[in-house]
Amino acid sequence: MKRILTVGVFDYFHYGHLKLFEQAKNIVSDGFLIVAVQKSEFIKKYKPEADVFYSTDVRCELVGALRCVDKVISYTDVSEIVRHIDFDIFAVGADQNHSGFISAIEYCRQNGKGVVRLQRTPNISSSLIKYNLDREI
């Protein structure tokens, strides 16, 4: 069984997040999906303008309720979590490209872990939801 790790904030939980988890889970036929949810107090390090809607515990509960997710953990920094979790493949979202992700990807490549860049779900994002609440998606 291959252990797949993906990470993110997952606030304003939406359809694109679900599709991301399904893509990650299906990278390999026997995938075990671990989703790391960033702790609220650390989100502003990389997204200083962020207004966090759900607490860390609520976001973990939402993510953990999905059939495609096998395990949920919380984390502070992506460049650190990859060093402390047992996994085989790091599944990275198309928009996850700040310095922490660059460092995490480099660590994975240097330590024999696969890295897979996942596709975005068209026309959906947390920003669209936040700023277009009257629009049907």
Side-chain angles (χ1 to χ4, degrees):
M1 178 180 307
K2 295 283 184 180
R3 296 170 61 86
I4 302 153
L5 172 67
T6 195
V7 305
V9 173
F10 310 118
D11 201 30
Y12 295 98
F13 189 82
H14 57 72
Y15 183 69
H17 292 140
L18 173 63
K19 299 321 275 178
L20 176 107
F21 298 151
E22 289 174 346
Q23 277 185 71
K25 173 84 172 187
N26 293 312
I27 289 171
V28 293
S29 61
D30 62 342
F32 181 90
L33 180 59
I34 304 163
V35 177
V37 174
Q38 192 170 38
K39 293 180 180 179
S40 296
E41 60 269 25
F42 290 89
I43 293 170
K44 291 201 181 260
K45 177 176 179 182
Y46 294 109
K47 296 182 178 183
E49 74 291 348
D51 289 322
V52 181
F53 187 71
Y54 292 117
S55 70
T56 304
D57 290 341
V58 170
R59 289 181 287 120
C60 286
E61 184 177 347
L62 285 167
V63 169
L66 300 171
R67 285 189 303 257
C68 59
V69 175
D70 298 299
K71 182 177 181 178
V72 179
I73 59 174
S74 61
Y75 76 103
T76 57
D77 191 295
V78 65
S79 62
E80 291 300 316
I81 192 67
V82 295
R83 299 169 192 275
H84 301 288
I85 294 295
D86 180 25
F87 69 97
D88 304 294
I89 300 168
F90 187 38
V92 183
D95 61 342
Q96 294 177 315
N97 53 18
H98 63 63
S99 61
F101 279 95
I102 293 167
S103 175
I105 290 167
E106 184 61 27
Y107 171 84
C108 290
R109 290 189 172 138
Q110 291 175 354
N111 289 276
K113 298 183 184 297
V115 176
V116 174
R117 184 71 70 172
L118 303 174
Q119 299 295 312
R120 283 189 71 99
T121 302
N123 303 317
I124 185 77
S125 73
S126 297
S127 295
L128 278 175
I129 292 169
K130 231 184 294 192
Y131 301 113
N132 296 294
L133 293 175
D134 60 346
R135 179 178 166 265
E136 183 175 326
I137 298 173

